[in-house]
Amino acid sequence: MSRTSTIGTNTPNLLDNPPIPVQSKLAAAWTSFMFLYIYIDYFHLYKPGVIDDLRAGVTFEFDISPTLMTIFVALIAIPALMVWLSMTLPARVNRATNLVVGSLYIAVSAFNAVGESWDWSWFYGLSIGLEVLLLAFILRSAWTWPRTPAVPAGPATTDLRQSV
């Protein structure tokens, strides 16, 4: 058996790192955001007194009602739909949608700490901090969306368009 490799060369075998489309980055970030969002709500149930409040028909300071539950579904549905929308919307609409929704959800994430005691500051600081980091990534990715250079309108390009 013959060896065709050159002895003495120390060329590292580099991994290929192909560029990831912005849509995929956004969908992955929204997916990660949703996992955090859902699990943080789930872990919140372990906080003493939360289950008792739920059984009494109260969450946060609000009575549990169909209206409140509809608001909760909307708050979860929007970022869940952003996973799909980030992969399917045209670039211009996709960018604008991610900028608007990402900005709004920074406030939604921060609202989760309202009225909480300092005893729980590590839980809320870490959870909200991670959510805001993901939202900042979403905003940065949407804001820096690569542009395609416009084709200048001139006689050379007009002739090409007419011949097609």
Side-chain angles (χ1 to χ4, degrees):
M1 180 153 56
S2 72
R3 292 179 69 184
T4 58
S5 65
T6 306
I7 298 174
T9 59
N10 227 358
T11 308
N13 203 3
L14 300 176
L15 294 175
D16 187 21
N17 196 15
I20 299 170
V22 178
Q23 296 94 327
S24 297
K25 290 179 183 180
L26 292 168
W30 281 113
T31 301
S32 296
F33 179 83
M34 282 304 304
F35 275 113
L36 277 172
Y37 201 64
I38 291 166
Y39 274 107
I40 289 164
D41 281 351
Y42 174 76
F43 291 142
H44 174 77
L45 296 174
Y46 290 122
K47 187 176 170 187
V50 170
I51 299 293
D52 295 333
D53 287 346
L54 290 173
R55 285 185 179 148
V58 177
T59 184
F60 187 56
E61 299 292 325
F62 306 108
D63 290 335
I64 298 173
S65 67
T67 302
L68 184 65
M69 297 308 290
T70 302
I71 291 168
F72 287 170
V73 168
L75 285 172
I76 292 291
I78 292 169
L81 288 172
M82 287 304 295
V83 176
W84 171 65
L85 292 173
S86 293
M87 292 299 291
T88 58
L89 288 175
R92 183 177 295 233
V93 176
N94 200 337
R95 179 178 185 262
T97 303
N98 274 281
L99 289 171
V100 169
V101 175
S103 298
L104 291 173
Y105 268 79
I106 289 174
V108 170
S109 291
F111 179 77
N112 287 326
V114 172
E116 294 299 335
S117 70
W118 283 104
D119 295 341
W120 289 87
S121 61
W122 287 104
F123 173 76
Y124 288 105
L126 179 60
S127 61
I128 292 168
L130 291 171
E131 287 178 355
V132 169
L133 279 174
L134 283 167
L135 292 167
F137 175 82
I138 289 166
L139 292 173
R140 183 180 176 276
S141 297
W143 185 260
T144 61
W145 196 298
R147 307 281 196 281
T148 303
V151 178
T157 56
T158 305
D159 292 341
L160 289 174
R161 288 186 204 135
Q162 290 175 355
S163 65
V164 174

